[in-house]
Amino acid sequence: MIRQRLFSGIQPTNILHIGNYIGALKQWVDMQEKYDCMFCVVDLHAITVPQDPKELRQNILNTAATYLAVGLDPKLCSIYVQSEVPEHAELGWILSTITRLGELERMTQFKDKSKKRGEKVGVGLYSYPTLMAADILLYDTKTVPVGEDQMQHIELARTLARRFNSQFGETFVVPQALIQKVGARIMGLNDPKVKMSKSEAPANYIALTDEPDVIRKKIMRSVTDSGQEIKFDPGKKPAISNLITIYHHATEKSIKQIENDFQGKGYGDFKKAVADAVTEMLDPIRQDIQDYLKDPAELQKILDKGRDAAHDLACKKMCLVRKKVGLGRA
Ligand code: ATP
Ligand code: LTN
């Protein structure tokens, strides 16, 4: 049976957090047997905001080690670094020529990130979504598992696939986003109105490498709502609903069951239980990340193999794209 192609990526911008894990990585692991998967460390996206070169290189390895530590199996999927397959950038450029300014101006991620950067916004941050579309379209991807915040970017990739196909003839598969029902947007522990994010202060997130005492402190100190009931109601009780979502993913218990289990108990008891469950979920991951980083030769081998597999596919696709557009010589 031919497995459908699946593509996803994470920026190597910092240590990954439980939002990345619950919103993205956990689903990837569940899908690696069913789909033909490409999992990319998207370093070209990371440089759309300034990075320290030394830290970036280290973060690329950390992110790859995290992919493996959460359970991605290099025998089942390709794990590689985006910039090592130059066709991503090439297709990104070609797609930027059929992308309209208004389409990029509408992107909420651009609006949010450019607000923070003021006058120092680079053109790369603006055209970020065309590179992301290239990542996806380069591999005839059918399915893209992401958190909810990426929905608008996937919509653009669909638009660009259709536009290119109608302008130059059938070339690209039109991809689809895959977003899970609960946990698609884990919120910040210190502010449940903003999403948990690597670029926020450490009190906002639980990193996958946080030690148990740090996890406990961050959860016990997390913002709570008024009242004292443990009830899932994101509109009225955003903070407690966020903790319930995290607990649901850490224990696999249903939301209903969690509400029942904690009936009559207070926020303090619940937070302790969340801290225990998150610690248990992260213990093996933290250990495995360290182990992979201690054995860089193994990690390098896996990334080499992933790069070669990705490059093979990307080369073939770009030959077709150049021909369709009329680039180069016959
Ligand atoms: P940055 O702050 O550097 O923009 P980020 O923490 O938002 O980073 P990304 O690298 O942009 O993380 O996202 C990687 C993947 O994790 C994407 O699929 C994204 O949708 C998902 N993701 C990120 N943050 C969350 C979150 N808070 N809840 C659920 N999924 C998330
Ligand atoms: N923009 C994504 C990362 C990303 C991605 C992709 C995700 C870059 N290219 C292709 C899925 C498919 C983010 O999570 N911030």
Side-chain angles (χ1 to χ4, degrees):
M1 197 189 70
I2 297 178
R3 292 181 303 164
Q4 268 183 12
R5 177 95 67 227
L6 178 148
F7 183 100
S8 202
I10 296 185
Q11 304 179 68
T13 40
N14 203 337
I15 306 157
L16 303 195
H17 52 70
I18 55 170
N20 300 129
Y21 179 59
I22 293 171
L25 286 167
K26 200 161 167 256
Q27 309 185 68
W28 298 5
V29 175
D30 295 339
M31 283 161 186
Q32 56 182 343
E33 298 210 18
K34 200 164 146 224
Y35 292 85
D36 179 0
C37 297
M38 318 283 301
F39 294 121
C40 193
V41 178
V42 291
D43 55 348
L44 292 173
H45 279 105
I47 61 166
T48 55
V49 297
Q51 302 293 337
D52 175 87
K54 266 208 198 103
E55 270 175 34
L56 179 59
R57 282 225 154 144
Q58 186 55 52
N59 279 332
I60 289 169
L61 292 183
N62 293 352
T63 305
T66 307
Y67 284 9
L68 295 165
V70 298
L72 293 181
D73 179 350
K75 287 195 207 76
L76 293 173
C77 57
S78 298
I79 297 174
Y80 71 103
V81 182
Q82 185 188 33
S83 65
E84 295 179 5
V85 179
E87 285 78 4
H88 285 253
E90 185 185 359
L91 183 57
W93 173 256
I94 294 172
L95 292 178
S96 78
T97 66
I98 61 162
T99 306
R100 296 170 190 151
L101 293 181
E103 286 169 333
L104 297 178
E105 271 155 14
R106 274 202 293 280
M107 294 292 160
T108 52
Q109 181 176 298
F110 172 71
K111 286 194 223 163
D112 291 348
K113 291 201 172 178
S114 59
K115 226 182 276 160
K116 282 187 198 152
R117 302 215 59 74
E119 282 171 7
K120 291 193 184 138
V121 180
V123 174
L125 192 62
Y126 185 66
S127 58
Y128 179 115
T130 59
L131 178 61
M132 180 160 159
D135 298 340
I136 297 167
L137 303 188
L138 196 49
Y139 299 101
D140 292 330
T141 305
K142 192 76 204 147
T143 306
V144 192
V146 280
E148 203 180 51
D149 60 314
Q150 296 301 312
M151 199 56 205
Q152 235 188 343
H153 291 163
I154 310 286
E155 271 309 317
L156 180 72
R158 289 165 60 78
T159 303
L160 294 180
R162 289 203 197 93
R163 189 173 297 154
F164 189 100
N165 289 348
S166 74
Q167 217 163 310
F168 299 106
E170 215 45 46
T171 308
F172 294 122
V173 169
V174 179
Q176 244 164 2
L178 188 70
I179 296 190
Q180 58 186 332
K181 288 190 199 81
V182 180
R185 183 182 285 262
I186 300 294
M187 308 312 280
L189 293 179
N190 60 353
D191 181 359
K193 287 188 287 308
V194 304
K195 76 161 193 153
M196 185 174 283
S197 163
K198 295 184 233 118
S199 3
E200 298 285 336
N204 165 279
Y205 58 79
I206 293 179
L208 297 185
T209 50
D210 277 348
E211 297 283 342
D213 55 322
V214 178
I215 296 174
R216 183 165 302 278
K217 250 186 231 147
K218 286 185 181 175
I219 291 180
M220 296 313 287
R221 283 182 194 164
S222 67
V223 169
T224 33
D225 313 297
S226 53
Q228 41 194 300
E229 240 188 317
I230 312 300
K231 198 166 171 8
F232 188 77
D233 182 349
K236 291 203 191 103
K237 286 178 154 276
I240 252 351
S241 304
N242 191 39
L243 289 181
I244 293 178
T245 304
I246 293 170
Y247 190 67
H248 158 73
H249 278 278
T251 59
E252 309 284 337
K253 284 187 188 166
S254 72
I255 306 282
K256 263 267 131 325
Q257 195 184 341
I258 298 169
E259 287 177 339
N260 283 341
D261 288 354
F262 286 91
Q263 215 168 19
K265 298 198 176 131
Y267 288 160
D269 286 335
F270 182 54
K271 281 181 167 180
K272 266 191 212 125
V274 177
D276 286 343
V278 171
T279 301
E280 206 173 302
M281 172 173 82
L282 296 189
D283 267 346
I285 297 178
R286 184 178 56 246
Q287 191 54 52
D288 281 359
I289 293 176
Q290 279 164 9
D291 290 349
Y292 277 111
L293 290 173
K294 262 190 239 140
D295 184 5
E298 175 65 15
L299 193 55
Q300 300 289 358
K301 233 190 328 186
I302 291 168
L303 292 175
D304 284 351
K305 183 173 153 261
R307 174 202 58 211
D308 293 346
H311 194 231
D312 255 13
L313 294 168
C315 263
K316 291 197 185 97
K317 194 74 190 177
M318 281 314 293
C319 272
L320 177 69
V321 172
R322 288 184 208 109
K323 193 163 150 209
K324 293 266 186 185
V325 180
L327 294 170
R329 290 175 295 166

